[in-house]
Amino acid sequence: MGQAIASATVGENGSLNGPQNIASCDHKGKGMYLVNYAPGFSASSGAQATPWGPGHTIGLNIMAANTCEVLVTDVHGNPTDGGFSFVAFGSD
C-alpha cells in the first residue's frame, strides 16, 4: 500500500472539479454534502475542507471508510449551500 490523497473542489450543487480519488459528491440538502471516495482509496482518520464563501464555516463527519459528510453553515449556524475545497489522506 502506498500513500494517496483524495481531493477536489466542490461546487455549491455538489459538482466536482479536478477530483483525485473521489468518485462523487452528493448534495443531500441545504448545506449537506456526502463526499464518496473512489474504490481502492482507504482514508486515514482525518479530512479537511475549506469554504469558499465569506462568512461560511464547515464541519466534517467521517461517516464510513468511503464517505465523509461535509456540513456548510453561515456564521449563525444555519445550513447554507456553498462551494469548498476538500482533501483527505490515506492509502491505495
Side-chain angles (χ1 to χ4, degrees), residues 26-34 69-72 79-81:
D26 301 320
H27 183 218
K28 302 305 271 182
K30 193 166 191 167
M32 182 182 194
Y33 303 84
L34 293 179
E69 179 183 49
V70 178
L71 304 168
V72 181
T80 186
D81 291 339

Side-chain angles (χ1 to χ4, degrees), residues 36-50:
N36 304 295
Y37 301 121
F41 179 78
S42 179
S44 296
S45 59
Q48 180 177 346
T50 304

Side-chain angles (χ1 to χ4, degrees), residues 60-88:
L60 299 175
N61 293 313
I62 307 300
M63 302 294 287
N66 65 343
T67 303
C68 183
E69 179 183 49
V70 178
L71 304 168
V72 181
T73 62
D74 64 19
V75 294
H76 302 290
N78 301 309
T80 186
D81 291 339
F84 56 92
S85 57
F86 179 88
V87 65

